[in-house]
């Protein structure tokens, strides 16, 4: 086996951490021949919980696990890592507005960006903690030494949710639904682009003729799925979020098949689709399989799609305005 891949997970004692860490340790992400060393990063108050999770991971006897280290200090936790999965952040409390959440969580990502700059160099940073696009922007801006292209935020859960909805409506397997890009923010303004998606290579709109469903119920179900899960389960999505995080990492590591794409929020370049630069924006992207990726160019957007993308762009611009003091 080659030398271990070091993966830091913040919020390791939380719900998503509990679903995510076992699957990383099991070899599912980096393969059966690759050792993994886990860095569990938590707040001091939650270290005991992280220790309990670590005991359970040990008890699984994964042959791909090199070991687990637990930290209450991000700079130590990020030392020498190859991946930083920034999951930990403060959840939205009762009656709390999204803008309050943005203000409250921003400083966490200033600290983590600075810690990454000091402790890590060749690292891929994936932000899951909400509001994940803007948190990623803050971390990236506070970590100028690491190339911007190595930062991304997760919209894969939204893509998976959208593919599942389309598959159910068309009565096909989820694996038959492809090219379903999420545009914009991981929030209720995101646009799940059914217009360019396919079912077995055919356009979704050819297979599903119910345009009202596509423009209405489909989009709003995907946009509000997180809230529907909280209402049903009493807790936010955790296993599906961890699953999407694994998909996100794997899709970036593998070369994307010709003609296909996946969704990820990445730094906007100011050129693609008239999105201003300096945002973390979800686009259709394609991995080259060598650590680099490209935003897919030339995707045809209808007036309907453009209106939706405009609104999610405006939301991201307003989030950036709220945290502007945290961006250097
Ligand atoms: P939990 O509240 O179960 O766990 C969060 C953990 O983060 C806690 O153990 C807490 O101690 C830790 N934490 C808080 N601040 C920290 C810091 N500065 N350093 C290290 N650890 C810290 O939340 P969970 O359900 O695991 O969700 C985590 C985040 O994922 C939330 O922000 C949530 O909103 C977000 N989500 C993002 C999704 C996405 O698609 N991008 C979907 C699922 C989820 O809602």
């Amino acid at each position: 086996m080659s030398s271990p891949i070091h993966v830091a997970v913040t919020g390791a004692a939380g719900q998503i951490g509990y679903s995510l860490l076992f699957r990383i340790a099991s070899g599912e992400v980096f393969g059966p021949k690759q050792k993994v060393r886990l860095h569990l990063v938590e707040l001091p108050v939650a270290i005991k919980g992280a220790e309990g999770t670590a005991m359970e991971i040990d008890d699984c006897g994964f042959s791909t696990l090199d070991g687990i280290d637990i930290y209450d200090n991000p700079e130590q936790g990020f030392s020498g890592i190859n991946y930083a999965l920034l999951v930990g952040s403060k959840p939205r409390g009762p009656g709390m507005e999204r803008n309050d959440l943005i203000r409250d969580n921003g400083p966490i990502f200033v600290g983590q960006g600075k810690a990454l700059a000091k402790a890590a160099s060749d690292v891929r940073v994936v932000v899951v903690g909400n509001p994940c696009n803007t948190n990623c922007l803050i971390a990236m801006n506070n970590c100028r030494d690491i190339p911007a292209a190595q930062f991304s935020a997760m919209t894969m859960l939204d893509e998976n949710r959208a593919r599942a909805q389309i598959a159910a409506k068309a009565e096909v397997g989820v694996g038959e639904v492809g090219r379903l890009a999420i545009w914009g923010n991981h929030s209720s303004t995101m646009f799940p682009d059914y217009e360019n998606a396919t079912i077995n290579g055919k356009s979704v709109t050819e297979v599903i003729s119910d345009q009202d469903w596509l423009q209405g119920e489909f989009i709003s179900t995907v946009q509000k799925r997180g809230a529907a899960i909280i209402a049903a389960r009493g807790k936010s999505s955790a296993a599906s979020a961890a699953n999407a995080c694994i998909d996100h990492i794997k899709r970036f590591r593998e070369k994307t098949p010709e003609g296909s794409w996946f969704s990820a929020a990445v730094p906007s370049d100011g050129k693609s689709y008239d999105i201003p630069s300096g945002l973390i924006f979800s686009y259709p992207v394609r991995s080259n399989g060598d650590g680099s990726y490209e935003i897919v160019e030339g995707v045809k957007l209808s007036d309907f799609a453009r209106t939706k993308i405009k609104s999610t762009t405006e939301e991201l611009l307003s989030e950036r305005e709220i945290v502007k003091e945290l961006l250097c």
Side-chain angles (χ1 to χ4, degrees), residues 213-234:
W213 181 83
L214 286 167
Q215 289 200 344
E217 193 182 329
F218 163 67
I219 294 180
S220 72
T221 300
V222 177
Q223 289 175 332
K224 295 179 190 154
R225 189 70 164 177
I229 285 166
I230 294 173
R233 214 172 81 86

Side-chain angles (χ1 to χ4, degrees), residues 12-14 18 40 42-55 70:
Y18 192 73
L40 275 49
E42 256 298 351
L43 296 175
V45 68
I47 285 294
K48 197 92 192 135
E51 285 170 358
T53 302
M55 286 160 73
I70 303 176

Side-chain angles (χ1 to χ4, degrees), residues 10-17 41-43 45-46 87-91 105 108 112 127-130 132 154-155 157-158 161 186 236-238 241:
T10 69
Q15 285 201 94
I16 296 176
V41 182
E42 256 298 351
L43 296 175
V45 68
V87 179
S89 65
K90 191 174 160 181
N105 276 322
I108 295 177
Q112 293 186 345
V127 181
V128 175
N130 278 324
C132 64
M154 188 178 95
T155 50
L157 178 56
D158 310 303
R161 287 168 170 168
H186 169 67
S236 58
S237 335

Side-chain angles (χ1 to χ4, degrees), residues 201-250:
K202 273 188 170 175
S203 163
V204 160
T205 49
E206 268 180 71
V207 181
I208 301 175
S209 55
D210 187 348
Q211 188 73 3
D212 289 346
W213 181 83
L214 286 167
Q215 289 200 344
E217 193 182 329
F218 163 67
I219 294 180
S220 72
T221 300
V222 177
Q223 289 175 332
K224 295 179 190 154
R225 189 70 164 177
I229 285 166
I230 294 173
R233 214 172 81 86
K235 290 181 190 164
S236 58
S237 335
S240 56
N243 179 66
C245 184
I246 286 166
D247 283 349
H248 177 108
I249 300 168
K250 286 170 78 174

Side-chain angles (χ1 to χ4, degrees), residues 247-284:
D247 283 349
H248 177 108
I249 300 168
K250 286 170 78 174
R251 300 288 277 277
F252 270 106
R253 285 176 69 81
E254 292 157 5
K255 185 171 167 49
T256 308
E258 206 51 52
S260 183
W261 58 63
F262 63 96
S263 310
V266 296
S268 56
D269 55 12
K271 292 180 278 188
S272 313
Y273 305 100
D274 298 328
I275 308 303
S277 63
L279 294 177
I280 300 291
F281 197 89
S282 183
Y283 297 97

